[in-house]
């Protein structure tokens, strides 16, 4: 599998892992766009939100749960943060493995797109 995030899951590509459990792994973005920029991804290869099946939907809940816990641990929960999932080329998705961005630690842009 040549998916870059699958290689992070398997440990072939090193990453700064901040959380790991049976379903998901979270690591710091290599090109952070905010003081806190963490990616939460399912360990199983799901290409994008658009390909998510009904059976796979619970993983989204778990990804949000982990992101909320990490926001607390990073000390940004009270100040506020943003969770974002890009989907497809026009949605700005560059890596075709589902991932949730946790961004915070500064005042983020009011614009979303
Ligand atoms: P997206 O544009 O939503 O697909 O976001 C992909 C994100 O993955 C970008 O913010 C990249 O900086 C990040 N990224 C790409 N390769 C790596 C890597 N090896 N380790 C950590 N983050 C990465």
């Amino acid at each position: 599998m040549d998916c870059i995030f699958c290689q992070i899951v398997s440990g072939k590509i090193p990453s700064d892992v901040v959380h790991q459990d049976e379903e998901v792994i979270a690591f710091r973005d290599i090109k952070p766009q905010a003081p806190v920029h963490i990616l939460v991804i399912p360990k199983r290869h799901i290409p994008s939100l658009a390909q998510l099946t009904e059976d796979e939907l619970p993983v989204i809940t778990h990804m949000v749960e982990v992101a909320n816990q990490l926001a607390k641990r990073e000390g940004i929960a009270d100040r506020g943060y943003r969770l974002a999932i890009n989907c497809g080329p026009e949605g700005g998705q560059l890596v075709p493995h589902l991932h949730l961005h946790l961004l915070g630690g500064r005042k983020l842009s009011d614009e979303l797109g």
Side-chain angles (χ1 to χ4, degrees), residues 25-64:
I25 182 169
F27 53 92
R28 294 193 193 278
D29 197 291
I30 204 165
K31 230 173 116 188
Q33 294 183 37
V36 175
H37 189 173
I38 291 169
L39 300 174
V40 184
I41 74 168
K43 285 187 165 174
R44 167 208 283 233
H45 183 80
I46 299 169
S48 82
L49 269 186
Q51 269 94 34
L52 197 66
T53 65
E54 209 177 326
D55 287 352
E56 291 166 338
L57 270 175
V59 81
I60 296 287
T61 308
H62 187 49
M63 287 161 69
V64 170

Side-chain angles (χ1 to χ4, degrees), residues 13-28:
I13 291 179
S15 65
D16 187 356
V17 175
V18 292
H19 171 89
Q20 186 157 197
D21 60 44
E22 272 189 16
E23 293 287 318
V24 306
I25 182 169
F27 53 92
R28 294 193 193 278

Side-chain angles (χ1 to χ4, degrees), residues 38-106:
I38 291 169
L39 300 174
V40 184
I41 74 168
K43 285 187 165 174
R44 167 208 283 233
H45 183 80
I46 299 169
S48 82
L49 269 186
Q51 269 94 34
L52 197 66
T53 65
E54 209 177 326
D55 287 352
E56 291 166 338
L57 270 175
V59 81
I60 296 287
T61 308
H62 187 49
M63 287 161 69
V64 170
E65 188 181 27
V66 167
N68 282 342
Q69 285 166 2
L70 288 169
K72 274 191 199 134
R73 209 206 287 168
E74 296 284 321
I76 58 170
D78 293 339
R79 294 159 63 192
Y81 53 95
R82 179 169 295 156
L83 301 184
I85 297 178
N86 296 327
C87 178
E90 290 203 357
Q93 184 179 6
L94 295 175
V95 177
H97 181 128
L98 180 65
H99 50 281
L100 176 67
H101 295 260
L102 164 63
L103 295 150
R106 68 165 166 83

